[in-house]
Amino acid sequence: MLPTNASRVLPIFDDFGLFRGTVNIIPGREFESTQLANRVVVAVAYVLGERVEDWTQADPERACVEIARRAARRAPGLKDQIIGVLEIADQHEPFVLVAVYRGREKECQAIATLANATVSRFLHRMTHVLAYEL
């Protein structure tokens, strides 16, 4: 993975409490990074067809309770084993990481593809998707 100087990350969770990825917050570019995060959240929600949130404004206790509540609604047999990461980056730094789940690789690739287009359009420069197996 490319090295990052991100000061923190914005985690993205879907409607069933599955961790979908993160958006890096770059020091000195916090506003730009949060605007990018908003667009990435919309892109992920569009692919999944469900509500997706970044949970950055919630305190950790409330976020944990809400994620647990959503996870309890998961369909039986829904696997949540992360087997890889798709990194959206330019030549120098990563902006977004997308989690890849066993049995849901195609869905995760669709998320990364649309998120990559969103990041590239927002930053006005070419970005690409790098795949890493865990």
Side-chain angles (χ1 to χ4, degrees):
M1 294 176 109
L2 290 174
T4 181
N5 64 347
S7 60
R8 62 188 176 102
V9 296
L10 302 178
I12 300 170
F13 292 93
D14 71 10
D15 204 26
F16 296 98
L18 284 178
F19 170 74
R20 289 301 182 163
T22 62
V23 178
N24 291 336
I25 302 298
I26 310 298
R29 297 185 354 217
E30 287 84 359
F31 179 76
E32 179 186 41
S33 297
T34 54
Q35 293 301 307
L36 176 60
N38 292 337
R39 287 167 172 79
V40 170
V41 166
V42 169
V44 174
Y46 178 79
V47 171
L48 296 175
E50 61 192 43
R51 189 174 69 221
V52 174
E53 299 181 39
D54 64 17
W55 290 104
T56 55
Q57 303 304 321
D59 60 85
E61 295 82 21
R62 183 169 125 20
C64 287
V65 168
E66 179 63 18
I67 290 166
R69 184 185 69 78
R70 291 180 180 200
R73 296 177 28 220
R74 291 181 188 167
L78 176 64
K79 293 182 174 51
D80 60 353
Q81 180 187 9
I82 296 176
I83 59 169
V85 174
L86 298 171
E87 180 180 62
I88 299 167
D90 63 9
Q91 293 87 353
H92 308 291
E93 63 184 335
F95 300 100
V96 177
L97 299 177
V98 174
V100 179
Y101 288 97
R102 182 175 309 285
R104 305 183 87 167
E105 293 88 348
K106 188 174 181 180
E107 172 187 88
C108 296
Q109 180 63 50
I111 290 171
T113 300
L114 187 56
N116 182 46
T118 300
V119 171
S120 181
R121 209 169 31 246
F122 180 78
L123 297 174
H124 303 292
R125 61 178 178 253
M126 289 296 297
T127 58
H128 50 275
V129 179
L130 304 170
Y132 300 95
E133 192 173 332
L134 297 181

